[in-house]
Amino acid sequence: GESVGLHLPTLSVQEGDNSIINCAYSNSASDYFIWYKQESGKGPQFIIDIRSNMDKRQGQRVTVLLNKTVKHLSLQIAATQPGDSAVYFCAENIYGNQGGKLIFGQGTELSVKP
Amino acid sequence: NAGVTQTPKFRVLKTGQSMTLLCAQDMNHEYMYWYRQDPGMGLRLIHYSVGEGTTAKGEVPDGYNVSRLKKQNFLLGLESAAPSQTSVYFCASSYPPGLGNQPQHFGDGTRLSIL
C-alpha cells in the first residue's frame, strides 16, 4: 500500500521580506541552542548559536531570539534571498553534558519566491 | 580544509549484506557523531565518540556498530542490513562543549538504500 510521510512545516516568503522561523524546544535544562540550514543534498550547515544566558544574538542578516520562559527559539532572516531557500533546524543541548549531544527539531522548509 | 568528509556518497545494499561508512575530519575535533535522517524528520543520533578509542550509544543504536581507532576517523558499521536502515546518514564533529560555544560540523551525507 501507499505510505504517507511526514510533511515539514513550510514558510513561504517574498524575496526581500523578513522571515521568522520558530522552534519550541523540549528540555527546560537545555542551555545551548543552534540553528542549522540544510540545502537539498547537503549536510546541515551552522548558522548561529546562543547560550541560555542570552536572549538575543545577531549575525550577518540573521538574529536568534530565545525565550526560556516558554521554551521558544526563533530565527529571523532579514531581506530574505532565493539562496536562503532550505530546511532550517533548531537543535538544543545541555551544555557541557551528555557528550555534547544535540536534540534536533523536525525542521521548517523555507521557500523564497522571486 | 575539507572539514568533514563522508564516503561513500551513495550505496545500495541487499538485505543481510554488511558495509562500513567512513567519516573523516581534519579539524582536530575530539567529538564525533553519527546521525540518520529520515524523510520529514530531524536528525537522530545513532552513536557518538568523545575521543579516540571511546564510543557511546545515542538515541537509535540498534543494528549499528562504530569504531574510533584514530582521532580523525569514525566508522559506522551495519552488520546485517535491513530495509528499515534505508536512510541518509550524516557524520558530525566538534570540539568538547566545555571549550566555549562549539557547534557540530556536518558532512554531506551518505545515501543508503537497502533492498
Side-chain angles (χ1 to χ4, degrees), chain A residues 36 38 41 43 51 95 99-100, chain B residues 31 33 37 97 100-101 104 108 111:
Chain A
Y36 285 94
Q38 187 176 23
R51 295 280 304 279
Y95 192 78
Chain B
Y31 286 32
Y33 311 83
Q37 185 176 38
N101 291 359
Q104 294 177 19
D108 280 337
R111 283 142 188 85

Side-chain angles (χ1 to χ4, degrees), chain B residues 92-105:
Chain B
S93 69
S94 74
Y95 289 114
L99 299 180
N101 291 359
Q102 296 296 350
Q104 294 177 19
H105 298 268

Side-chain angles (χ1 to χ4, degrees), chain B residues 15-35:
Chain B
T15 297
Q17 287 185 315
S18 63
M19 80 160 295
T20 300
L21 281 64
L22 172 64
C23 177
Q25 52 93 6
D26 61 3
M27 296 173 281
N28 201 33
H29 285 163
E30 288 288 335
Y31 286 32
M32 295 188 74
Y33 311 83
W34 275 107
Y35 294 89

Side-chain angles (χ1 to χ4, degrees), chain A residues 28-73:
Chain A
S28 58
S30 293
D31 54 10
Y32 178 50
F33 305 89
I34 308 173
W35 279 102
Y36 285 94
K37 172 187 181 183
Q38 187 176 23
E39 296 174 288
S40 181
K42 296 285 188 73
Q45 177 187 1
F46 170 77
I47 302 174
I48 192 168
D49 57 8
I50 189 168
R51 295 280 304 279
S52 60
N53 60 353
M54 302 173 70
D55 53 21
K56 180 179 180 179
R57 193 172 187 210
Q58 289 185 290
Q60 187 177 15
R61 278 203 307 122
V62 294
T63 300
V64 55
L65 299 178
L66 175 63
N67 185 332
K68 295 180 289 294
T69 302
V70 295
K71 294 191 289 185
H72 184 268
L73 197 65

Side-chain angles (χ1 to χ4, degrees), chain B residues 17-69:
Chain B
Q17 287 185 315
S18 63
M19 80 160 295
T20 300
L21 281 64
L22 172 64
C23 177
Q25 52 93 6
D26 61 3
M27 296 173 281
N28 201 33
H29 285 163
E30 288 288 335
Y31 286 32
M32 295 188 74
Y33 311 83
W34 275 107
Y35 294 89
R36 61 177 288 172
Q37 185 176 38
D38 299 299
M41 298 180 71
L43 288 86
R44 292 184 293 169
L45 184 65
I46 303 171
H47 286 281
Y48 66 102
S49 168
V50 301
E52 183 179 321
T54 72
T55 64
K57 294 181 179 180
E59 181 186 359
V60 288
D62 293 342
Y64 305 96
N65 56 76
V66 288
S67 64
R68 184 96 182 270
L69 299 179

Side-chain angles (χ1 to χ4, degrees), chain A residues 14-32:
Chain A
Q14 203 71 37
E15 181 178 359
D17 287 351
N18 296 335
S19 302
I20 299 176
I21 301 171
N22 296 305
C23 176
Y25 64 91
S26 58
N27 192 334
S28 58
S30 293
D31 54 10
Y32 178 50

